[in-house]
Amino acid sequence: MAAYTTVDDPEAFFNTKLYTGSSSTPNAITGVGFEPDMVWTKNRDYDASHRLHDVLQGPTYSLVPDYNYISTTSYPFSSFDTDGYTINTTNNSLNSSSYDYVSWCWIAGTTTGIAGSPTITPTSYSFNQAAGFSIVAYTANNTSGATIPHGLGVIPDMAIIKCTSYAEDWTVYHTSVGILKDMNLDIANAASVTDNFYDTLPTSTLFYMNNGGEVNE
């Protein structure tokens, strides 16, 4: 297991925010404690889908962790703010009146100086080595054995990958399952044998990928 930097104040990098929807816009959600780079939100009272917003795509775009949909502007934020974020929709997934919601909020923040000599250069990234968290956007090259940098400076224990332009399943690597298997967020299958990660463990700078549609087509 990678030895990450000791974090004395976890809420400086991650926080859980509870709020009640208003069915009005804009709806500024405050009290996060920092300007988040990724926000994962779920309605706690209704069976609406999860919604995930991140700073690389921009606040108006979101992904749906429980489905394989492409990135959409149908459930927008209007901004990421110094103490939270502002919602610009009234749908059940984010901001319907009287429903209770939870948002898990992460901060990354470093946007220069990513290390490694990858075969795929990220189109954008934001990482935080102290927190052991990074977001990386890239355009696939359809090459088996391609590498992508993660910026953490240590071997990562988990990675979640989603194609934003085609309806491909979410792919999850976790060290407890091993490099020969992966899992999915949007389907209920058990961990299965694949070669999405080129059967090669990540290093302190790079992740390896095959040329499959879920990770690099």
Side-chain angles (χ1 to χ4, degrees), residues 62-117:
S62 69
L63 291 165
V64 187
D66 46 321
Y67 285 94
N68 67 359
Y69 301 151
I70 65 173
S71 186
T72 177
T73 57
S74 299
Y75 305 87
F77 288 177
S78 56
S79 60
F80 297 104
D81 307 323
T82 55
D83 190 31
Y85 52 92
T86 298
I87 301 170
N88 197 32
T89 182
T90 60
N91 67 82
N92 287 335
S93 290
L94 293 172
N95 188 31
S96 187
S97 179
S98 77
Y99 285 139
D100 290 328
Y101 295 83
V102 57
S103 283
W104 300 282
C105 305
W106 288 263
I107 187 171
T110 305
T111 57
T112 60
I114 200 165
S117 299

Side-chain angles (χ1 to χ4, degrees), residues 32-180:
V32 172
F34 51 80
E35 182 173 337
D37 292 294
M38 189 169 81
V39 178
W40 185 325
T41 303
K42 181 68 180 73
N43 189 322
R44 302 165 65 205
D45 295 329
Y46 185 76
D47 60 352
S49 289
H50 299 244
R51 297 290 164 184
L52 192 152
H53 296 77
D54 71 84
V55 69
L56 300 192
Q57 294 190 96
T60 60
Y61 286 85
S62 69
L63 291 165
V64 187
D66 46 321
Y67 285 94
N68 67 359
Y69 301 151
I70 65 173
S71 186
T72 177
T73 57
S74 299
Y75 305 87
F77 288 177
S78 56
S79 60
F80 297 104
D81 307 323
T82 55
D83 190 31
Y85 52 92
T86 298
I87 301 170
N88 197 32
T89 182
T90 60
N91 67 82
N92 287 335
S93 290
L94 293 172
N95 188 31
S96 187
S97 179
S98 77
Y99 285 139
D100 290 328
Y101 295 83
V102 57
S103 283
W104 300 282
C105 305
W106 288 263
I107 187 171
T110 305
T111 57
T112 60
I114 200 165
S117 299
T119 60
I120 297 177
T121 299
T123 55
S124 58
Y125 58 84
S126 185
F127 66 96
N128 190 315
Q129 290 189 347
F133 174 72
S134 70
I135 313 169
V136 179
Y138 62 95
T139 299
N141 67 3
N142 200 39
T143 300
S144 181
T147 55
I148 187 82
H150 51 71
L152 298 179
V154 293
I155 299 172
D157 292 321
M158 184 176 184
I160 302 173
I161 299 177
K162 178 67 180 81
C163 178
T164 59
S165 54
Y166 288 90
E168 299 283 357
D169 291 326
W170 292 76
T171 299
V172 180
Y173 160 78
H174 196 279
T175 185
S176 65
V177 175
I179 203 65
L180 300 180

